[in-house]
Amino acid sequence: MSNSFIELMKVRRTIYALGDKVSHSQAQLTGLIQEAIRQSPSSFNSQSSRAVILFSDEHHALWDLTKETLRKIVPADAFPQTENKINGSFRAGFGTVLFFEDTAVIKDLQQKFALYADNFPIWSEHATGIAQFAVWSALAQEGIGASLQHYNPLIDDQVHQRWELPASWLLRAQMPFGSIEQPAGDKTFMDDAERFRVFG
Ligand SMILES: Cc1cc2nc3c(=O)[nH]c(=O)nc-3n(C[C@H](O)[C@H](O)[C@H](O)COP(=O)(O)O)c2cc1C
């Protein structure tokens, strides 16, 4: 059975070779990213996901501060490789989406619905994953490549300071995006028989 959503899913891949040759305007991409997150489900419709969208100098500033943070902890002989990766794969892109979860929303839910208190932080992680996938897929549909990075918690303090974010926003992922300078290679899949069981 052919299904257009599955076909769209296949278009989303991890793209490391990013460029800044994007014809969409910042406003168009902002609208797309916001709508993808808005339409993503969350537990109790709590809408705990937050995002910061960075373009141009602000996007560069994120990757520069990430580089400087890593410079302090990566052995000097390994740092050129780290620097090349950040410059070539992330900073070279057109922008970055920072994904956060608002821990104030989660605390509030824990107080209101004590029975589920242990589950709310887990569901918050699910919500951010869904939001990340939605944005990644929406960008892919526009012909824009992206990857998913996790320099949190190393960069959390600096990100909060530079963009003056609420203390309750917890950084969960960074998604650099841009033009696709080199497509992803073939992807392998494990056997369905190991993965799925169907009854009935
Ligand atoms: C929850 C999650 C965490 C990931 N973390 C990283 C990461 O920190 N760095 C990275 O380069 N890729 C990361 N990836 C990307 C995966 O490596 C990638 O999705 C996977 O290899 C499948 O390739 P595809 O995205 O091209 O389908 C992550 C993906 C997921 C779903």
Side-chain angles (χ1 to χ4, degrees):
M1 185 182 78
S2 122
N3 177 291
S4 56
F5 182 66
I6 299 289
E7 294 311 309
L8 290 179
M9 284 180 73
K10 291 180 190 170
V11 176
R12 184 222 51 81
R13 295 294 311 279
T14 293
I15 304 295
Y16 290 116
L18 293 177
D20 61 1
K21 298 189 258 327
V22 170
S23 56
H24 300 68
S25 67
Q26 292 184 5
Q28 283 174 320
L29 293 178
T30 299
L32 180 77
I33 292 162
Q34 289 180 178
E35 190 61 4
I37 295 173
R38 199 182 286 123
Q39 296 300 336
S40 296
S42 56
S43 72
F44 287 56
N45 195 26
S46 55
Q47 301 170 56
S48 53
S49 299
R50 304 284 179 266
V52 170
I53 304 164
L54 304 172
F55 294 106
S56 56
D57 288 353
E58 301 299 318
H59 157 75
H60 292 147
L62 170 77
W63 293 108
D64 289 342
L65 74 79
T66 304
K67 252 186 309 188
E68 293 320 308
T69 303
L70 290 171
R71 195 191 297 277
K72 290 176 198 143
I73 56 170
V74 173
D77 59 337
F79 188 72
Q81 207 185 332
T82 302
E83 190 168 30
N84 285 343
K85 186 167 82 167
I86 291 185
N87 285 341
S89 295
F90 314 142
R91 194 184 189 281
F94 188 70
T96 301
V97 186
L98 302 177
F99 289 89
F100 300 81
E101 285 292 296
D102 191 343
T103 57
V105 173
I106 295 150
K107 276 190 193 133
D108 186 51
L109 286 165
Q110 287 178 312
Q111 277 161 10
K112 281 192 184 130
F113 305 100
L115 189 62
Y116 301 115
D118 293 347
N119 283 317
F120 286 118
I122 298 166
W123 291 337
S124 162
E125 295 301 319
H126 295 180
T128 187
I130 292 169
Q132 291 164 27
F133 177 72
V135 170
W136 202 347
S137 300
L139 289 170
Q141 205 197 333
E142 294 297 319
I144 294 171
S147 76
L148 191 60
Q149 301 304 319
H150 297 93
Y151 290 99
N152 48 292
L154 288 175
I155 59 171
D156 289 28
D157 290 347
Q158 288 178 76
V159 165
H160 272 86
Q161 273 165 34
R162 179 170 177 108
W163 288 286
E164 298 180 349
L165 304 173
S168 62
W169 288 23
L170 181 64
L171 183 60
R172 306 316 295 136
Q174 304 84 53
M175 186 174 287
F177 60 86
S179 49
I180 300 173
E181 299 301 316
Q182 198 185 316
D186 288 341
K187 188 164 146 177
T188 56
F189 295 94
M190 63 186 288
D191 280 350
D192 284 354
E194 285 176 44
R195 224 176 163 178
F196 307 114
R197 296 183 188 189
V198 183
F199 302 95

Short mmCIF file of all heavy atoms in Angstrom, two decimals, residues 12-16 85 90 129 132 136 146-151 184-185 187, ligand 1:
data_model
loop_
_atom_site.label_atom_id
_atom_site.label_comp_id
_atom_site.label_asym_id
_atom_site.label_seq_id
_atom_site.Cartn_x
_atom_site.Cartn_y
_atom_site.Cartn_z
N ARG A 12 13.29 12.41 4.98
CA ARG A 12 14.04 12.94 6.13
C ARG A 12 15.25 12.06 6.44
O ARG A 12 15.12 10.89 6.66
CB ARG A 12 13.16 12.98 7.39
CG ARG A 12 13.84 13.61 8.60
CD ARG A 12 13.56 12.84 9.88
NE ARG A 12 13.83 11.42 9.76
CZ ARG A 12 15.05 10.87 9.86
NH1 ARG A 12 16.12 11.61 10.10
NH2 ARG A 12 15.24 9.56 9.70
N ARG A 13 16.40 12.64 6.36
CA ARG A 13 17.63 11.92 6.70
C ARG A 13 18.55 12.84 7.50
O ARG A 13 18.34 14.05 7.56
CB ARG A 13 18.35 11.46 5.41
CG ARG A 13 17.59 10.45 4.58
CD ARG A 13 17.41 9.11 5.27
NE ARG A 13 18.65 8.58 5.82
CZ ARG A 13 19.59 7.92 5.11
NH1 ARG A 13 19.40 7.68 3.83
NH2 ARG A 13 20.69 7.49 5.70
N THR A 14 19.56 12.24 8.10
CA THR A 14 20.59 13.04 8.76
C THR A 14 21.53 13.58 7.70
O THR A 14 22.15 12.81 6.96
CB THR A 14 21.38 12.17 9.76
OG1 THR A 14 20.52 11.79 10.82
CG2 THR A 14 22.59 12.93 10.32
N ILE A 15 21.58 14.90 7.60
CA ILE A 15 22.45 15.54 6.61
C ILE A 15 23.55 16.30 7.35
O ILE A 15 23.28 17.25 8.09
CB ILE A 15 21.65 16.52 5.70
CG1 ILE A 15 20.47 15.79 5.03
CG2 ILE A 15 22.57 17.17 4.67
CD1 ILE A 15 20.83 14.69 4.04
N TYR A 16 24.78 15.86 7.14
CA TYR A 16 25.92 16.52 7.79
C TYR A 16 26.54 17.59 6.89
O TYR A 16 27.13 18.53 7.40
CB TYR A 16 26.98 15.50 8.18
CG TYR A 16 26.55 14.59 9.32
CD1 TYR A 16 26.40 13.23 9.13
CD2 TYR A 16 26.29 15.12 10.59
CE1 TYR A 16 26.00 12.40 10.17
CE2 TYR A 16 25.89 14.30 11.63
CZ TYR A 16 25.75 12.94 11.42
OH TYR A 16 25.35 12.13 12.44
N LYS A 85 34.35 19.49 12.31
CA LYS A 85 32.98 18.96 12.29
C LYS A 85 31.98 20.11 12.55
O LYS A 85 30.99 20.25 11.84
CB LYS A 85 32.83 17.87 13.35
CG LYS A 85 31.48 17.18 13.28
CD LYS A 85 31.43 15.90 14.09
CE LYS A 85 31.17 16.19 15.53
NZ LYS A 85 30.80 15.03 16.33
N PHE A 90 27.77 21.98 10.93
CA PHE A 90 26.71 22.66 11.68
C PHE A 90 26.72 24.17 11.40
O PHE A 90 25.73 24.74 10.95
CB PHE A 90 26.84 22.39 13.18
CG PHE A 90 27.10 20.93 13.52
CD1 PHE A 90 27.96 20.56 14.54
CD2 PHE A 90 26.46 19.92 12.79
CE1 PHE A 90 28.19 19.23 14.84
CE2 PHE A 90 26.69 18.57 13.08
CZ PHE A 90 27.57 18.23 14.11
N GLY A 129 10.86 14.64 21.51
CA GLY A 129 11.24 13.76 20.38
C GLY A 129 10.26 13.89 19.23
O GLY A 129 10.67 13.97 18.06
N GLN A 132 10.81 17.24 17.58
CA GLN A 132 12.05 17.23 16.79
C GLN A 132 11.82 16.51 15.46
O GLN A 132 12.24 16.98 14.40
CB GLN A 132 13.17 16.54 17.57
CG GLN A 132 13.65 17.34 18.77
CD GLN A 132 14.46 16.51 19.74
OE1 GLN A 132 15.09 15.53 19.39
NE2 GLN A 132 14.44 16.91 21.01
N TRP A 136 12.11 18.22 11.76
CA TRP A 136 13.09 17.58 10.86
C TRP A 136 12.40 17.17 9.56
O TRP A 136 12.89 17.42 8.46
CB TRP A 136 13.66 16.36 11.58
CG TRP A 136 14.98 15.83 11.14
CD1 TRP A 136 15.68 16.12 10.01
CD2 TRP A 136 15.77 14.88 11.87
NE1 TRP A 136 16.85 15.40 9.97
CE2 TRP A 136 16.92 14.64 11.11
CE3 TRP A 136 15.61 14.20 13.08
CZ2 TRP A 136 17.91 13.74 11.52
CZ3 TRP A 136 16.60 13.31 13.48
CH2 TRP A 136 17.73 13.08 12.72
N ALA A 146 19.01 18.56 7.61
CA ALA A 146 19.23 18.86 9.04
C ALA A 146 19.86 17.65 9.71
O ALA A 146 19.81 16.53 9.19
CB ALA A 146 17.90 19.21 9.72
N SER A 147 20.44 17.89 10.88
CA SER A 147 20.88 16.78 11.73
C SER A 147 20.47 17.10 13.15
O SER A 147 20.01 18.22 13.45
CB SER A 147 22.39 16.54 11.62
OG SER A 147 23.12 17.51 12.33
N LEU A 148 20.61 16.10 14.00
CA LEU A 148 20.20 16.28 15.40
C LEU A 148 21.45 16.16 16.27
O LEU A 148 22.14 15.13 16.21
CB LEU A 148 19.19 15.19 15.75
CG LEU A 148 18.44 15.31 17.06
CD1 LEU A 148 17.62 16.60 17.10
CD2 LEU A 148 17.50 14.12 17.23
N GLN A 149 21.72 17.19 17.06
CA GLN A 149 22.93 17.21 17.89
C GLN A 149 22.59 17.38 19.36
O GLN A 149 21.53 17.91 19.70
CB GLN A 149 23.84 18.35 17.43
CG GLN A 149 24.25 18.24 15.97
CD GLN A 149 24.91 16.91 15.65
OE1 GLN A 149 25.72 16.41 16.44
NE2 GLN A 149 24.57 16.32 14.53
N HIS A 150 23.53 16.95 20.21
CA HIS A 150 23.31 17.01 21.67
C HIS A 150 24.55 17.53 22.38
O HIS A 150 25.28 16.74 22.98
CB HIS A 150 22.90 15.64 22.21
CG HIS A 150 21.60 15.18 21.62
ND1 HIS A 150 21.52 14.39 20.50
CD2 HIS A 150 20.32 15.44 21.98
CE1 HIS A 150 20.24 14.18 20.19
NE2 HIS A 150 19.50 14.81 21.08
N TYR A 151 24.76 18.83 22.30
CA TYR A 151 25.87 19.42 23.06
C TYR A 151 25.40 19.91 24.42
O TYR A 151 26.18 20.48 25.18
CB TYR A 151 26.55 20.52 22.23
CG TYR A 151 27.31 19.91 21.08
CD1 TYR A 151 26.79 19.88 19.79
CD2 TYR A 151 28.54 19.30 21.29
CE1 TYR A 151 27.47 19.28 18.75
CE2 TYR A 151 29.24 18.69 20.25
CZ TYR A 151 28.69 18.69 18.98
OH TYR A 151 29.37 18.08 17.96
N ALA A 184 22.53 12.02 2.11
CA ALA A 184 22.86 10.92 3.02
C ALA A 184 23.09 9.65 2.21
O ALA A 184 22.53 9.49 1.12
CB ALA A 184 21.71 10.71 4.01
N GLY A 185 23.91 8.76 2.74
CA GLY A 185 24.15 7.48 2.08
C GLY A 185 22.97 6.54 2.30
O GLY A 185 21.99 6.88 2.97
N LYS A 187 20.71 3.63 3.77
CA LYS A 187 20.48 3.28 5.17
C LYS A 187 20.12 1.80 5.25
O LYS A 187 19.37 1.31 4.40
CB LYS A 187 19.32 4.15 5.66
CG LYS A 187 19.03 4.08 7.12
CD LYS A 187 18.13 5.27 7.49
CE LYS A 187 17.16 4.93 8.55
NZ LYS A 187 16.36 6.07 8.97
C1 LIG B 1 17.06 10.44 19.72
C2 LIG B 1 18.15 10.62 18.67
C3 LIG B 1 19.39 11.13 19.05
C4 LIG B 1 20.36 11.39 18.07
N1 LIG B 1 21.53 12.00 18.44
C5 LIG B 1 22.42 12.33 17.50
C6 LIG B 1 23.58 13.07 17.83
O1 LIG B 1 23.80 13.46 18.99
N2 LIG B 1 24.47 13.37 16.84
C7 LIG B 1 24.25 12.99 15.55
O2 LIG B 1 25.08 13.30 14.68
N3 LIG B 1 23.14 12.30 15.19
C8 LIG B 1 22.22 11.97 16.12
N4 LIG B 1 21.07 11.30 15.78
C9 LIG B 1 20.85 10.92 14.38
C10 LIG B 1 20.94 9.41 14.16
O3 LIG B 1 22.27 8.98 14.21
C11 LIG B 1 20.29 9.10 12.81
O4 LIG B 1 18.94 9.53 12.84
C12 LIG B 1 20.32 7.61 12.47
O5 LIG B 1 21.65 7.18 12.24
C13 LIG B 1 19.47 7.25 11.26
O6 LIG B 1 19.86 8.00 10.14
P1 LIG B 1 18.85 9.00 9.38
O7 LIG B 1 18.56 10.14 10.31
O8 LIG B 1 19.59 9.44 8.16
O9 LIG B 1 17.60 8.24 9.07
C14 LIG B 1 20.10 11.06 16.72
C15 LIG B 1 18.84 10.52 16.37
C16 LIG B 1 17.88 10.33 17.32
C17 LIG B 1 16.53 9.82 16.89
#
